[in-house]
Amino acid sequence: MRVLLLNGPNLNMLGRREPEIYGRQTLSELESLCVEHGQGLGFDVLCRQSNYEGKLVEWIQGAGDKYNAIIINPGAYTHTSIAILDALLSVDLPTVEVHLSNIHRREDFRHNSYVSKAAWGVICGFGPQGYLMALDALFRRFSPTETMEA
Ligand code: DQA
């Protein structure tokens, strides 16, 4: 199983960026954690980050025939990007949307997610652990003994 892990704008600043909200772990530490956790589940996890909407769209478009699932934290594009929503709808891969913070406890403009309309599930508020929870959820989804794809 191959999983594409995408992080959007400003997530390259993790560790330095508003640590009281996003924690002190850097993006590369977070990505290593995900690759390692993925290995334990038998997943090949490829990590990518961009501050550009079009780049994220292109990675999603290219994922259709190469990956089995997508985990995405679209950062602020969550709340604005119909282009990312459309890209996810076009590839039709099981997608887990992850946010480090609980977007529903924060400013009103963070409460809406366009991306959620294409997501199999959404995890928010658990910090870096949310990414591992996303991998676990996909593992269960792909496990032949589980029936969680509804
Ligand atoms: C975020 C929440 C977004 O509202 C914000 O713009 C981010 C990070 C999160 O992980 O909590 O960049 O996606």
Side-chain angles (χ1 to χ4, degrees), residues 1-116:
M1 288 293 163
R2 287 170 60 80
V3 177
L4 179 63
L5 171 55
L6 295 178
N7 279 293
N10 297 305
L11 291 161
N12 55 316
M13 299 297 285
L14 283 181
R16 278 182 289 164
R17 172 191 183 198
E18 298 179 276
E20 65 290 354
I21 298 176
Y22 298 114
R24 299 219 170 257
Q25 196 162 43
T26 65
L27 181 62
S28 69
E29 288 167 348
L30 172 63
E31 288 176 341
S32 301
L33 208 63
C34 290
V35 169
E36 211 174 287
H37 192 75
Q39 272 165 3
L41 300 171
F43 289 169
D44 194 359
V45 179
L46 187 100
C47 305
R48 292 269 182 265
Q49 185 275 334
S50 181
N51 294 320
Y52 298 94
E53 186 177 23
K55 196 74 222 166
L56 294 162
V57 165
E58 284 177 358
W59 282 330
I60 294 165
Q61 288 175 355
D65 45 358
K66 292 198 218 91
Y67 294 90
N68 304 97
I70 295 174
I71 297 173
I72 183 166
N73 181 348
Y77 289 141
T78 306
H79 320 297
T80 62
S81 182
I82 297 169
I84 291 176
L85 166 64
D86 284 347
L88 288 169
L89 291 172
S90 78
V91 294
D92 197 27
L93 289 174
T95 297
V96 183
E97 176 186 345
V98 174
H99 301 282
L100 293 154
S101 64
N102 180 351
I103 55 175
H104 303 289
R105 277 185 77 169
R106 300 184 63 196
E107 303 96 323
D108 287 354
F109 62 83
R110 294 187 205 274
H111 295 178
N112 178 59
S113 166
Y114 286 108
V115 173
S116 294

